[in-house]
Amino acid sequence: MRAIYITHTGGPDVLTHTDINAPTPKDNEVVVQVDIAGVNFIDVYFREGIYHSPTPFVPGFEGTGRVIYDPQGEIAEGTVVAWCDAFGSYAEQVCVPRDRMVAVPESLEPHVAASMLLQGITAHYLTHGVYDLSEGDSCLITAGAGGVGLLATQMAASAGATVYSVVSSEEKVALAYEAGATEVFFYSDNLAEDVRRRNGGVGVDVVYDGVGKATFNESLEAVRPRGTVCLFGAASGPVDPIDPQVLNTHGSIFLTRPSIGAWTAREGEFAMRAQAVTRAVTSSELNVRVGAVYPLADAAAAHRDLEARVTTGSVVLQVS
């Protein structure tokens, strides 16, 4: 089968489009013929070696396709599913844990189905877990026009929160407002000061920072005393180690670095979040914007554009 194969970690050029053997499922997995695979920053972290995996490996964690074999005979061949947390999704076939997938309604567009779970569940645990937003709360979202950023903005606005979004271009400003942002800012050295000024002179309740190194100091400045800074990504690079005393200096603030694994680890938690996202997308309460589609063979180009932050919304690979 055709797949993207990584024999050593590094830049986008290590993503090799080649033939490899089809995967063999474990008893708790089903084999799926991949139609479309989602592209996410976690794929970049594995490609670069920031997150470790023994080489060689096939990257990718989510997608949509049709079941072709279930060792337990429970899921009918041809069932259309979407999944999250199935390592090796940049391929024509992937083994998916049966508890990490959902059936895809016929009304759901395949490119949307392929990219809704990882980013949708991330946005859900950020706004309904790490910090449960409610009416009157305020939040700052970096990378506001990215896949997670647009979904988190919609969820935060739906909860009644004031949403300040940070973007890098005029095109992205419009997208952030369309998603429900209260006000949109460009990246600057005065970001925290500008946000505080617009928020009545006080910091926000929570900062959702998916950019990392380039925005982290501003995130610490933008949050109120005893507020929460949630660092959920590192699009600009990993944050330098910090002295915990810094959190005291900023007003006894809380700092967390969550992961989708930890926030779907409790019994039934993945199903709860996945179903909430799927229902919201199917009912059009949540809009998943697919900003770019690349052929599987062009995975390297997809990674370059994602890292350059020239994409908006979700990015996917057309596999078959």
Side-chain angles (χ1 to χ4, degrees):
M1 69 172 187
R2 301 298 287 176
I4 298 298
Y5 207 46
I6 293 178
T7 58
H8 60 281
T9 57
D13 289 343
V14 305
L15 298 169
T16 303
H17 186 230
T18 189
D19 285 306
I20 63 171
N21 293 330
T24 302
K26 301 174 183 177
D27 286 343
N28 69 329
E29 297 176 331
V30 299
V31 182
V32 179
Q33 184 76 35
V34 181
D35 292 330
I36 303 162
V39 178
N40 298 280
F41 263 102
I42 191 172
D43 308 337
V44 174
Y45 304 153
F46 273 98
R47 190 206 74 216
E48 292 180 332
I50 295 173
Y51 291 177
H52 178 69
S53 176
T55 53
F57 64 87
V58 175
F61 278 90
E62 71 172 348
T64 190
R66 299 178 183 274
V67 173
I68 57 176
Y69 175 59
D70 176 7
Q72 297 187 17
E74 296 175 349
I75 303 176
E77 182 178 338
T79 300
V80 180
V81 295
W83 63 87
C84 174
D85 201 19
F87 197 42
S89 292
Y90 287 16
E92 290 181 330
Q93 293 182 25
V94 65
C95 294
V96 181
R98 62 182 65 247
D99 63 349
R100 288 294 185 268
M101 62 185 184
V102 296
V104 175
E106 291 184 3
S107 60
L108 207 54
E109 203 275 329
H111 294 87
V112 170
S115 58
M116 68 179 178
L117 286 184
L118 196 151
Q119 294 178 353
I121 291 173
T122 299
H124 192 270
Y125 78 66
L126 293 178
T127 58
H128 297 78
V130 171
Y131 193 100
D132 284 309
L133 290 172
S134 59
E135 188 78 32
D137 287 336
S138 58
C139 66
L140 174 67
I141 302 175
T142 67
V148 174
L150 290 174
L151 296 176
T153 297
Q154 292 174 70
M155 292 181 186
S158 179
T162 297
V163 184
Y164 301 111
S165 179
V166 193
V167 302
S168 60
S169 69
E170 289 291 348
E171 176 197 4
K172 294 179 180 181
V173 169
L175 294 175
Y177 276 126
E178 184 180 333
T182 308
E183 189 152 357
V184 182
F185 299 88
F186 291 113
Y187 295 99
S188 75
D189 293 337
N190 300 317
L191 176 61
E193 181 182 342
D194 294 341
V195 171
R196 283 176 173 272
R197 185 182 303 114
R198 298 302 297 171
N199 199 47
V202 298
V204 295
D205 295 301
V206 57
V207 177
Y208 299 117
D209 189 349
V211 173
K213 188 178 183 68
T215 55
F216 185 63
N217 289 336
E218 289 296 309
S219 293
L220 296 178
E221 294 281 355
V223 73
R224 63 167 171 79
R226 293 165 55 180
T228 298
V229 174
C230 173
L231 180 68
F232 69 92
S236 67
V239 170
D240 294 332
I242 69 166
D243 180 351
Q245 179 62 20
V246 171
L247 305 181
N248 179 32
T249 302
H250 288 283
S252 298
I253 63 176
F254 295 89
L255 172 64
T256 182
R257 179 50 172 98
S259 68
I260 193 169
W263 282 92
T264 57
R266 295 178 179 175
E267 185 176 357
E269 194 169 24
F270 177 88
M272 178 272 289
R273 297 193 189 282
Q275 289 168 8
V277 170
T278 304
R279 283 196 300 268
V281 174
T282 303
S283 65
S284 298
E285 296 172 31
L286 191 63
N287 176 44
V288 177
R289 173 185 169 82
V290 179
V293 181
Y294 299 79
L296 178 64
D298 290 344
H303 276 225
R304 289 190 191 96
D305 290 348
L306 185 67
E307 290 180 89
R309 291 156 65 185
V310 298
T311 61
T312 59
S314 299
V315 177
V316 299
L317 300 176
Q318 188 75 46
V319 180
S320 62

